[in-house]
Amino acid sequence: SLTTPGSSVLANPLVVSNSASVAPNASVVLNFNNVPLGSSGSTNFRAVVALTGDTNAANDTALAASSIATTLTSFPQTEDAESTLPVVKWISVISGSRNLWTLRQGKYANSNMPDSLSPAGGNAFFLADCWSGTSSVGFRSRLYSECLQIPTQSGGLNYNLAFQMSQDDKFATDLDSIYVMIGTNGGTNWTSIGGFQRYNAAFTTPGWVTNNLSLAAYAGQTIQIGFDAVSKFGNIIGIDNVVVTANAALPVTFSNFTGNKRGNVNDLVWVTANETNNAGFEIERSADGRTFSKIAFVATKATNGTSNQSISYTATDAFILAGTNHYRLKQIDKDGKFNYSAVVTIAGNKPGKLSLGSVYPNPAVDVVNLQIATPNTVTAQILVMSTSGKIVGTHSKGLAVGDNLVTIPVQNLAKGTYFIKVIDNNGDYTNTVQFVK
């Protein structure tokens, strides 16, 4: 299991003995009584075997372990990777010669990630390190939870796994991955319910993205949740703030959520069957279906945020990405809690040239987000210029075919008006877009 600073081992371990003679090329079974295995946690075993005529003590010891997980029955369950590890505390090596997972205290940095990765909140996070040491290609390690007794399904209730993930944006050919696994039968059988690949050229480090997966299929079962790190010897992945929700009332029930392309805009329509304590809906958009960004907010139409009647909403995205657009709704309660809708995908056209779309927020404070479309995989130079044409900032970014969301820092710029232009390694360049700091 994972341990936190200050953890200790048993000062006076239980010692039991049993003796038997083993003939060459044979085996025996030795039974040991009164070994306590009923409590949750890890029990480590060390067997010392004396081999006749063998003077090498190094091969006299065999190690094994038995693990008993706690069964959790109340929800939500939250794992913030801080001190006690109440939910996610177990690790195992599935393949390879070393474990990839560690509990990281504070920042992490290496030569390919100079910006470092900090916890999403608090002082610690789970780190899948596929970079350190010799090649770990093909290694697979599992970070997994205590047993979770998911209550029986009830209509209109929420069964969800949410977690935050961070990654570097290097090595496009070394695609480390995280697979979310569900273990049943006491962890005997494991099934993947989602995969999250590390590399994303448009990802901004350090940063965290929230992922959500439904657990409704496991209502009425006792399960374990695992995060399998699969290495291609690329770099690192971070996991933090794991939240398991079960049998929780949904503040808003969506009857449907649809979208369609209309000329150069995308129209979104959704209907709620009921709302409770609802503040409204953030509309989030993504180019790849994984990394979403807020593009608009629609306030609730329900009186004081509560209604038992069907309510319809519409919104239009007038600054669509040139390629495929993925949308989801982040429904936000008045107390700040939130829930996600299903994802709606609206197909677009492959961009015909390098282009710079919207720049936001505008005015900016610390960063600006750029929507850059390209028909080719390129390396681009993002130029930030003053009103006199002087270049005050240059940022190099790798761009994938289609739409890319790129974030650049502007906190060191003085207040004023600036212009942004993008030039790729083929010599193509975009129009100039203005923003205010």
Side-chain angles (χ1 to χ4, degrees), residues 24-376:
N25 300 316
S27 62
V28 297
V29 175
L30 300 181
N31 296 314
F32 294 89
N33 298 318
N34 301 318
V35 177
L37 295 175
S39 59
S40 62
S42 292
T43 301
N44 296 314
F45 301 92
R46 182 177 65 180
V48 180
V49 181
L51 303 177
T52 303
D54 185 0
T55 59
N56 181 12
N59 60 11
D60 290 354
T61 301
L63 301 175
S66 172
S67 301
I68 299 177
T70 300
T71 298
L72 306 176
T73 59
S74 62
F75 297 92
Q77 288 287 340
T78 300
E79 179 59 81
D80 58 8
E82 291 305 310
S83 57
T84 59
L85 301 181
V87 183
V88 180
K89 64 179 296 182
W90 302 101
I91 52 174
S92 63
V93 175
I94 308 303
S95 62
S97 59
R98 71 172 182 270
N99 172 49
L100 302 174
W101 284 106
T102 59
L103 182 63
R104 180 72 186 187
Q105 301 289 327
K107 292 184 178 180
Y108 172 89
N110 64 39
S111 59
N112 293 294
M113 192 173 161
D115 292 333
S116 79
L117 174 61
S118 299
N123 299 313
F125 64 98
F126 297 113
L127 173 70
D129 188 351
C130 301
W131 170 253
S132 300
T134 57
S135 176
S136 58
V137 174
F139 287 16
R140 186 174 188 138
S141 295
R142 180 170 297 151
L143 168 70
Y144 61 104
S145 72
E146 305 278 25
C147 295
L148 300 161
Q149 186 175 311
I150 308 297
T152 303
Q153 175 78 57
S154 298
L157 299 182
N158 189 22
Y159 295 75
N160 185 70
L161 164 66
F163 65 95
Q164 289 185 277
M165 174 177 166
S166 190
Q167 60 163 30
D168 61 280
D169 56 1
K170 310 296 183 183
F171 302 125
T173 58
D174 303 322
L175 303 180
D176 308 318
S177 300
I178 292 292
Y179 292 91
V180 179
M181 311 293 291
I182 298 296
T184 55
N185 297 328
T188 302
N189 301 319
W190 291 86
T191 303
S192 173
I193 62 170
F196 302 87
Q197 205 165 61
R198 174 187 58 80
Y199 179 78
N200 179 350
F203 191 80
T204 301
T205 55
W208 292 85
V209 174
T210 300
N211 297 302
N212 286 268
L213 292 169
S214 174
L215 297 177
Y218 298 94
Q221 301 183 47
T222 297
I223 65 172
Q224 289 174 282
I225 294 172
F227 299 92
D228 279 20
V230 180
S231 174
K232 288 295 184 70
F233 197 36
N235 212 321
I236 62 100
I237 298 175
I239 298 291
D240 204 351
N241 295 327
V242 180
V243 180
V244 180
T245 304
N247 215 23
L250 288 170
V252 170
T253 300
F254 292 99
S255 295
N256 60 60
F257 176 36
T258 60
N260 65 278
K261 184 175 176 61
R262 178 171 57 87
N264 294 322
V265 303
N266 287 338
D267 293 324
L268 302 173
V269 178
W270 66 98
V271 179
T272 61
N274 56 70
E275 301 182 24
T276 303
N277 196 37
N278 183 28
F281 309 87
E282 285 186 0
I283 302 174
E284 297 184 346
R285 184 180 62 199
S286 169
D288 59 9
R290 292 178 53 205
T291 304
F292 285 82
S293 300
K294 175 186 173 182
I295 61 170
F297 178 80
V298 177
T300 179
K301 295 180 180 180
T303 303
N304 296 321
T306 299
S307 172
N308 292 321
Q309 306 297 318
S310 177
I311 301 178
S312 298
Y313 296 86
T314 61
T316 297
D317 181 8
F319 302 97
I320 61 176
L321 305 175
T324 300
N325 293 257
H326 305 270
Y327 298 93
R328 70 182 182 188
L329 302 174
K330 181 180 181 181
Q331 180 275 316
I332 304 175
D333 291 358
K334 290 184 176 180
D335 59 8
K337 295 179 181 179
F338 59 87
N339 182 57
Y340 287 103
S341 72
V343 175
V344 166
T345 299
I346 302 177
N349 301 317
K350 179 181 177 181
K353 64 177 182 178
L354 181 71
S355 61
L356 174 60
S358 60
V359 175
Y360 64 94
N362 194 359
V365 179
D366 296 320
V367 299
V368 290
N369 302 302
L370 315 177
Q371 294 175 349
I372 307 173
T374 174
N376 305 298

